[in-house]
Amino acid sequence: MSFWIGVDVGGTNIVCGIVDEKGEVLDSIKKPTQAFLGTSSVLDHMAQMVSEVTARAGLSGKVAGIGIGIPGLVNPWDGIALYSANLNWRDVPLSTELSRRTSLPVYIDNDVRMYVYGEAVYGAGLGVDYVLGLTVGTGIASAMVSQGQLYYGYRDLAGEIGHGTMDGESAPCGCGFDGCLEAAASASGMVREAKRFIAEGKPTLLSQWFPGDDLQRLSAADISKAMDAGDSLASDIMNHAGELLGKALVPAVHILSPQVIIIGGGGAMAGERLLTPLRQTLMSRLLPDFRQHVTIKTAVLGDDAGVIGSAMQAKQRHEIKQS
Amino acid sequence: MSFWIGVDVGGTNIVCGIVDEKGEVLDSIKKPTQAFLGTSSVLDHMAQMVSEVTARAGLSGKVAGIGIGIPGLVNPWDGIALYSANLNWRDVPLSTELSRRTSLPVYIDNDVRMYVYGEAVYGAGLGVDYVLGLTVGTGIASAMVSQGQLYYGYRDLAGEIGHGTMDGESAPCGCGFDGCLEAAASASGMVREAKRFIAEGKPTLLSQWFPGDDLQRLSAADISKAMDAGDSLASDIMNHAGELLGKALVPAVHILSPQVIIIGGGGAMAGERLLTPLRQTLMSRLLPDFRQHVTIKTAVLGDDAGVIGSAMQAKQRHEIKQS
């Protein structure tokens, strides 16, 4: 039995877990990222988490390698974190640096791909050959896993489902376009939309719950709560987000032909509030051959998805390299 | 040196060519399909074309296998033509039947995939790792070739870019939806649109060129001709088709990240009339990372694309099977 370390690096926290070769997480620890201390400090910190979780599991000397999921642009093949706004990293030779600190082979990749790979192969997509994973959180991104293999595309850019102006949409997006899926249907997009409507004076429970400057604390979970309390603005925002997600998935399904679509990330916490309009819109627009065979599921692994995905992707890449 | 036969089966003609292992067509013949004579007759006919082209090239006994591209739904792995409206075929065990008649291994696949594979690996996409091919003809379809491998998806359904209602569009489509890309931007869709506008009494050179029942003979090439003669209805139809193709390619590029997009099929004969609005719309809506790296090309192999694609795909599958 070999063991692998999976590290999910986020802007806020780092989760580091030890995973057996069946994809079971044996133990994991979660600590603040503290990116403001600088790259070298974060790397030292990661190396320390790796030895801590290994020692705690009593598996020192039995770990075969490390997989890391990083937000932003990554060159997985040279092990370089090209650009990460969340971490304020640019061209960090992550594999080399962490390998030097741990004396283990290190494989890195984009965090969404690792999350989707974990869910597709060991979570909600277990046993399914063609899985499309969609993460709805601060941003919206996707990845496709076909017969156990991630699809990367040219320059590893595939899966950018969140951008490009959608007809009739106008919410300003961080990418510079207006009317992108991410601008209205991501967790942060829904919050931005709610604030925009409140600023326009639209009546909603949310402005009672978060008067004045308190509005800064508004989260996507509060929109779910307001919807449950019968708030029509919250309902409208959630329904609209679900419909847009459904619309954006139509070409993705027709082009990729997944058997299962997994909806994950923080936004998936909205559950059926988001999935019902998503499913209705998607299914009503798919060709019959696709409609009959595609299933929509929510992610099941939570925080573990990124850890399992990173660890098992490192295992797969290591085995290919050795063969 | 091994040699391979590629057969491109269409509703009207069958093209059968002999291809060397570098993907060069040495000789080919083209004959009417005559599907009305029945499946068995078409199969006999195909076997005869195979031996004719082989004998003519002086390569009897030196052919390693046959690849066939068939319109419609195909199960490539079991060698079955599941459904082809053009040929009026349903569940034809094509590989077995042609193999029995020729004593050669036979590999079959969908005709668009074979056409795109030929163009991607031996034509306009030569030397490029990530190629998206789009055929604009009677229908609209696509296929993705990544690092020399076709992408199939679940039930081999991937690449259906032509369907699903586009916002603001209403032209009725053969699939049952309204406002599909195929309804307005395929060669036959453009002709249907022109006839619809003429029936509504819109002024155009086309109604002068094709008065009364002559209108049945209107083709997409006539729309190009009218456009060149300054006809504004023809221009509008062509521009609109190009813009819709560009719009439909936005999610395809963001999801698949191709390096080159090849536009092929009969509709590509419109050339820059179609490509200029396509390119403008696509490029204005892509994220910068994609816009900077993607190139649009027209197909270069003509009729040979399907022959080369079928023959070389058969070679690839045969080698995998033997290894």
Side-chain angles (χ1 to χ4, degrees):
Chain A
M1 183 69 119
S2 72
F3 300 91
W4 295 81
I5 299 284
V7 187
D8 188 16
V9 182
T12 313
N13 291 302
I14 297 175
V15 184
C16 175
I18 186 159
V19 180
D20 71 18
E21 60 189 26
K22 288 181 208 145
E24 291 281 337
V25 178
L26 305 178
D27 194 9
S28 72
I29 48 181
K30 186 174 186 168
K31 294 191 175 175
T33 308
Q34 299 187 295
F36 60 86
L37 295 175
T39 309
S40 173
S41 164
V42 174
L43 284 162
D44 290 345
H45 192 50
M46 283 168 69
Q48 208 186 321
M49 288 176 80
V50 169
S51 61
E52 190 180 328
V53 80
T54 309
R56 221 162 73 173
L59 291 167
S60 300
K62 291 184 180 163
V63 169
I66 302 172
I68 309 179
I70 298 282
L73 276 178
V74 170
N75 177 336
W77 323 112
D78 296 330
I80 295 167
L82 298 172
Y83 176 64
S84 175
N86 288 346
L87 302 170
N88 197 20
W89 281 12
R90 205 177 272 278
D91 297 321
V92 175
L94 184 53
S95 291
T96 310
E97 286 298 318
L98 198 69
S99 194
R100 197 168 58 75
R101 284 168 171 81
T102 58
S103 306
L104 287 169
V106 176
Y107 299 89
I108 76 165
D109 209 323
N110 170 271
D111 61 342
V112 169
R113 278 199 292 260
M114 294 303 92
Y115 176 94
V116 169
Y117 183 74
E119 282 289 348
V121 182
Y122 299 91
L126 186 71
V128 175
D129 272 344
Y130 296 93
V131 181
L132 174 63
L134 185 79
T135 57
V136 181
T138 315
I140 290 181
S142 76
M144 181 76 199
V145 180
S146 305
Q147 301 181 299
Q149 302 296 319
L150 275 161
Y151 178 83
Y152 287 88
Y154 183 52
R155 295 169 63 96
D156 313 310
L157 289 172
E160 276 289 2
I161 199 172
H163 300 282
T165 300
M166 297 179 81
D167 275 304
E169 296 303 313
S170 59
C173 185
C175 75
F177 288 125
D178 291 335
C180 295
L181 178 67
E182 187 167 297
S186 65
S188 47
M190 283 190 258
V191 168
R192 209 184 311 124
E193 287 293 273
K195 289 178 180 169
R196 193 159 65 96
F197 288 128
I198 290 168
E200 287 172 8
K202 295 250 165 75
T204 164
L205 286 174
L206 294 168
S207 51
Q208 295 174 29
W209 294 353
F210 298 94
D213 282 353
D214 286 359
L215 193 59
Q216 294 315 311
R217 293 189 293 105
L218 179 72
S219 75
D222 299 314
I223 298 175
S224 285
K225 224 181 289 174
M227 186 176 171
D228 294 346
D231 188 71
S232 74
L233 183 81
S235 278
D236 289 350
I237 291 171
M238 191 70 76
N239 280 328
H240 189 60
E243 283 164 17
L244 288 181
L245 286 164
K247 265 176 75 171
L249 280 168
V250 174
V253 171
H254 283 158
I255 290 166
L256 296 168
S257 191
Q259 188 174 3
V260 164
I261 301 169
I262 302 174
I263 312 290
M269 310 258 271
E272 281 305 317
R273 298 178 196 90
L274 194 66
L275 288 187
T276 299
L278 184 162
R279 197 181 287 114
Q280 278 170 0
T281 304
L282 174 62
M283 292 303 180
S284 70
R285 289 167 173 245
L286 287 180
L287 290 173
D289 274 335
F290 294 84
R291 190 166 56 228
Q292 282 155 21
H293 299 294
V294 75
T295 310
I296 300 166
K297 296 187 174 183
T298 42
V300 297
L301 296 175
D303 267 1
D304 283 350
V307 169
I308 297 171
S310 302
M312 293 296 94
Q313 179 68 4
K315 176 175 179 280
Q316 188 186 75
R317 288 177 58 191
H318 193 70
E319 283 167 0
I320 290 168
K321 206 173 153 188
Q322 302 299 87
S323 72
Chain B
M1 185 67 119
S2 72
F3 300 91
W4 295 81
I5 299 283
V7 188
D8 187 16
V9 183
T12 312
N13 291 303
I14 297 175
V15 184
C16 176
I18 187 159
V19 181
D20 71 17
E21 59 189 27
K22 288 182 210 143
E24 290 281 338
V25 178
L26 304 178
D27 194 8
S28 71
I29 47 181
K30 186 172 184 168
K31 295 193 174 173
T33 307
Q34 300 187 296
F36 59 87
L37 295 175
T39 309
S40 172
S41 163
V42 175
L43 283 162
D44 290 344
H45 193 50
M46 282 167 72
Q48 210 185 320
M49 289 175 78
V50 170
S51 61
E52 190 179 329
V53 81
T54 307
R56 221 163 74 173
L59 290 167
S60 299
K62 290 186 180 160
V63 169
I66 301 172
I68 308 178
I70 297 282
L73 276 178
V74 171
N75 177 337
W77 323 113
D78 297 330
I80 295 167
L82 298 172
Y83 176 64
S84 175
N86 288 346
L87 303 170
N88 196 20
W89 282 11
R90 205 176 271 280
D91 297 319
V92 176
L94 183 53
S95 291
T96 310
E97 286 298 319
L98 198 69
S99 194
R100 197 168 58 74
R101 284 167 172 82
T102 58
S103 305
L104 286 168
V106 176
Y107 299 89
I108 76 166
D109 209 324
N110 169 270
D111 61 343
V112 170
R113 277 198 293 260
M114 293 304 91
Y115 175 94
V116 169
Y117 184 73
E119 282 289 348
V121 181
Y122 300 91
L126 186 70
V128 175
D129 272 342
Y130 296 92
V131 181
L132 174 64
L134 185 79
T135 58
V136 182
T138 316
I140 290 180
S142 76
M144 181 76 201
V145 180
S146 306
Q147 299 182 300
Q149 302 296 318
L150 277 161
Y151 178 84
Y152 287 88
Y154 183 53
R155 296 170 64 95
D156 313 310
L157 290 171
E160 277 288 3
I161 200 173
H163 300 282
T165 301
M166 297 178 81
D167 275 304
E169 296 304 312
S170 59
C173 185
C175 75
F177 288 123
D178 291 336
C180 295
L181 179 67
E182 187 167 296
S186 65
S188 47
M190 282 191 260
V191 168
R192 209 183 310 124
E193 288 292 275
K195 288 179 180 168
R196 194 159 65 96
F197 288 127
I198 290 167
E200 287 172 8
K202 294 249 165 75
T204 165
L205 285 174
L206 294 168
S207 51
Q208 295 174 30
W209 293 353
F210 299 94
D213 281 354
D214 286 359
L215 192 59
Q216 294 314 312
R217 293 190 293 102
L218 178 71
S219 75
D222 299 315
I223 299 175
S224 285
K225 224 181 290 173
M227 186 176 169
D228 294 346
D231 187 70
S232 74
L233 183 81
S235 279
D236 288 350
I237 290 171
M238 191 69 77
N239 281 328
H240 189 59
E243 284 165 15
L244 287 181
L245 286 164
K247 264 175 75 170
L249 280 168
V250 175
V253 171
H254 283 159
I255 290 166
L256 295 168
S257 191
Q259 187 173 3
V260 164
I261 301 170
I262 302 175
I263 312 290
M269 311 257 270
E272 281 304 318
R273 299 177 195 90
L274 194 65
L275 289 187
T276 299
L278 184 162
R279 198 181 288 112
Q280 277 170 359
T281 305
L282 173 62
M283 292 303 180
S284 70
R285 289 167 174 245
L286 288 180
L287 290 173
D289 275 335
F290 294 84
R291 189 165 59 227
Q292 283 155 20
H293 300 293
V294 75
T295 310
I296 299 166
K297 297 188 175 182
T298 43
V300 296
L301 297 175
D303 267 2
D304 283 349
V307 169
I308 297 171
S310 301
M312 293 296 96
Q313 180 69 3
K315 176 174 178 281
Q316 188 187 78
R317 287 177 58 190
H318 193 69
E319 284 167 358
I320 290 168
K321 207 173 155 187
Q322 303 297 87
S323 71

